[in-house]
Amino acid sequence: MDEQKVTKSSLVQGTAMDDSLGDVNGSIEAPVTGSFWRKLLAFSGPGALVAVGYMDPGNWVTSVKGGATYQYTLLSVVLISSLIAMMLQYMAGKLGMVTHQDLAQATRKHTSRSGGFILWIITELALMATDIAEVIGGAIALHLLFGWSMIASVLTTAFDVVLLLLLMKFGFRKIEAIVITLILTILMIFSYLVILSQPNIVGMLGGYLPQLQAVSSTGIHGADSPLVMSLGIIGATVMPHNLYLHSSISQTRKVNRENKKELKEAVRFMTWDSNIQLTMAFVINSMLLILGAAMFFGHADSVGTFGAMYDALKDNTIAGAIASPVLSTLFAVALLASGQNSTITGTLTGEIVMAGFLRLKIPMWLRRVITRGFALIPVVAFTLIYGGNETKLDQLLVYSQVFLSVALPFAMAPLIIFTSSKKKMGETFANPKWMTILAWGVFAVLTILNIQLIGEIIGI
């Protein structure tokens, strides 16, 4: 009996070489007994790394400009996007914990070698697109804070991967702690900015109620229409790399998968962690839009880039009496924290995707250097060609969203299929029928909206 149990466990767990993020997979002890709060604390961390992707620099310009143009109308879009994110991330985390495979590994298992390579290319382009926003955000923050040239700032972001390698030596919990600290930094800064801006509470609460104006195709004063901005918020919120990431890092907790009761409880606490952190991301994204509505309404043309937002916070004619260099500095610090957070998680996801789709057995440090290098190439090229022109870099950021839109169905569809399969997940962990139907409905809507967004961007 014991021998059979060991053999079964070996088949389930696989070798360390096959484990997703093999060096940290199952490395964190999760208590079987104890209070609810003790268990929640043990499982807290992966949700923060996932939430980072929902508040990265790619969201900032759209959210602030949306508030500056249409005040609180688009807050309902932020709310709906966050609820969709919670459902998808629950599925991704559950897939990893139950099957002991991340989404890339599970997808590769059901495709041919050439199919796996094609999917890796698509996903790698999406990762590059995601990382472009993060590199640009971090580089502009360094440029604004320290006055460095844009090329020097961009190249400095390359050292994030060195930081990640060092942190990995001290354990995955250290990475989680740093990410949570940076999220709290962003939260405190924007809380302070929003309080100073004195938003209209009634208008703010009313903005969370769905309104037809949020999907209107008619803009005001030549501005982008509410529909375009809504598409931008949704497109920048639900991103494919987060699904791969969560399906992997949810496995960092040591869980006995042969014990159904223990596994069920682990999935429950993973869900708590994910939803708490995504609620934090929802609050921060709401604050970005509220800040735009309360402080910059009527000045949407003055907050179209990161640098413009920085300058607007110092301008009395735009930000009013509260304008000061302190506010603009706090904004740049929050932008830097967001960029740093996102580059850490982006590099981890690159590693997960490369190993899962290509099944490459190369040293971890080399894999991380390669995935970080892929993201830097287009940003460095644009910076050299256009001499660090921020407007051109922001255009690159906008066009990078096209790759995210193209890649999303290739991540969402397999995730829904796998987590709805009783054969793969078992009766206990397969999605209930209502969730499967809802997920496919969301898939259809997001795919259609992303196609529309691509058409808007390229002018079809």
Side-chain angles (χ1 to χ4, degrees):
M1 189 72 171
D2 290 340
E3 187 177 343
Q4 288 178 342
K5 195 173 281 187
V6 170
T7 303
K8 184 179 179 183
S9 178
S10 299
L11 288 172
V12 173
Q13 298 294 338
T15 64
M17 185 72 77
D18 296 327
D19 289 343
S20 184
L21 286 177
D23 49 350
V24 295
N25 193 291
S27 63
I28 300 172
E29 292 288 341
V32 179
T33 60
S35 68
F36 171 87
W37 297 109
R38 180 169 177 259
K39 292 178 181 178
L40 180 60
L41 181 63
F43 279 92
S44 295
L49 273 70
V50 169
V52 162
Y54 292 93
M55 58 179 101
D56 74 340
N59 296 11
W60 288 35
V61 172
T62 304
S63 294
V64 173
K65 196 169 183 179
T69 308
Y70 299 105
Q71 286 193 298
Y72 306 103
T73 302
L74 303 183
L75 281 173
S76 58
V77 179
V78 176
L79 175 59
I80 292 169
S81 298
S82 299
L83 293 174
I84 292 171
M86 288 179 183
M87 178 181 69
L88 293 176
Q89 295 304 156
Y90 159 73
M91 290 182 182
K94 181 175 66 171
L95 175 70
M97 297 190 87
V98 174
T99 67
H100 199 63
Q101 290 180 322
D102 62 50
L103 181 58
Q105 290 172 326
T107 306
R108 176 66 180 86
K109 186 177 179 181
H110 293 83
T111 57
S112 63
R113 185 174 180 179
S114 58
F117 183 76
I118 292 170
L119 286 171
W120 173 71
I121 292 292
I122 293 171
T123 310
E124 195 62 57
L125 288 173
L127 274 170
M128 286 174 65
T130 303
D131 238 5
I132 282 169
E134 292 146 9
V135 169
I136 289 174
I140 290 176
L142 290 172
H143 170 68
L144 295 174
L145 285 170
F146 305 113
W148 299 346
S149 68
M150 278 304 300
I151 187 63
S153 300
V154 168
L155 292 175
T156 300
T157 64
F159 291 99
D160 292 333
V161 71
V162 178
L163 174 64
L164 179 60
L165 288 168
L166 291 173
L167 289 173
M168 279 295 206
K169 297 292 184 184
F170 295 101
F172 201 73
R173 281 299 250 180
K174 300 295 188 299
I175 293 177
E176 293 173 347
I178 288 173
V179 167
I180 290 172
T181 301
L182 291 173
I183 289 175
L184 291 175
T185 300
I186 298 168
L187 179 65
M188 287 188 291
I189 289 174
F190 278 114
S191 296
Y192 177 65
L193 292 177
V194 167
I195 290 170
L196 286 181
S197 68
Q198 297 181 326
N200 182 323
I201 302 299
V202 174
M204 186 177 72
L205 294 176
Y208 287 114
L209 300 175
Q211 302 173 48
L212 286 176
Q213 188 186 349
V215 291
S216 170
S217 58
T218 305
I220 58 172
H221 308 304
D224 287 334
S225 69
L227 176 60
V228 171
M229 290 195 168
S230 293
L231 292 175
I233 290 171
I234 294 172
T237 299
V238 186
M239 294 186 288
H241 81 279
N242 268 330
L243 305 180
Y244 293 102
L245 177 66
H246 202 191
S247 64
S248 175
I249 59 177
S250 65
Q251 300 178 51
T252 55
R253 270 52 183 175
K254 193 173 182 180
V255 177
N256 180 9
R257 290 172 179 79
E258 293 182 54
N259 187 321
K260 189 177 289 186
K261 183 180 178 182
E262 184 179 329
L263 181 56
K264 192 173 182 179
E265 187 171 68
V267 170
R268 182 165 71 97
F269 280 104
M270 173 277 296
T271 307
W272 270 101
D273 170 48
S274 176
N275 287 345
I276 288 171
Q277 299 296 342
L278 287 173
T279 299
M280 188 95 70
F282 160 69
V283 170
I284 289 173
N285 283 327
S286 293
M287 285 180 175
L288 283 164
L289 197 142
I290 291 167
L291 184 67
M295 194 177 288
F296 302 128
F297 181 63
H299 300 280
D301 293 339
S302 301
V303 290
T305 66
F306 295 123
M309 291 180 205
Y310 178 85
D311 291 335
L313 287 167
K314 294 188 293 184
D315 190 338
N316 291 331
T317 61
I318 298 176
I322 63 172
S324 74
V326 173
L327 294 188
S328 59
T329 300
L330 286 174
F331 173 83
V333 170
L335 180 60
L336 181 60
S338 178
Q340 284 294 115
N341 254 350
S342 300
T343 49
I344 288 173
T345 57
T347 305
L348 281 174
T349 309
E351 177 185 334
I352 292 161
V353 167
M354 182 181 287
F357 281 124
L358 301 187
R359 296 176 177 171
L360 289 179
K361 308 298 183 185
I362 62 175
M364 292 292 181
W365 68 267
L366 180 57
R367 191 181 296 158
R368 287 169 188 152
V369 169
I370 291 172
T371 53
R372 192 75 183 97
F374 279 145
L376 281 171
I377 292 170
V379 183
V380 170
F382 259 64
T383 304
L384 289 174
I385 292 170
Y386 295 106
N389 185 304
E390 190 188 335
T391 301
K392 294 294 183 181
L393 287 175
D394 279 316
Q395 286 178 355
L396 174 62
L397 190 154
V398 170
Y399 284 112
S400 72
Q401 302 306 303
V402 174
F403 287 115
L404 293 176
S405 302
V406 170
L408 184 59
F410 293 96
M412 272 188 72
L415 177 66
I416 298 170
I417 291 169
F418 295 149
T419 55
S420 300
S421 169
K422 292 180 180 178
K423 182 178 179 181
K424 193 170 188 67
M425 303 293 292
E427 290 277 349
T428 304
F429 300 104
N431 297 331
K433 194 168 184 178
W434 68 265
M435 185 176 288
T436 301
I437 294 171
L438 179 60
W440 281 119
V442 168
F443 171 84
V445 170
L446 286 180
T447 301
I448 291 169
L449 291 179
N450 279 322
I451 290 172
Q452 282 187 258
L453 181 59
I454 293 171
E456 292 283 351
I457 290 174
I458 63 179
I460 294 178

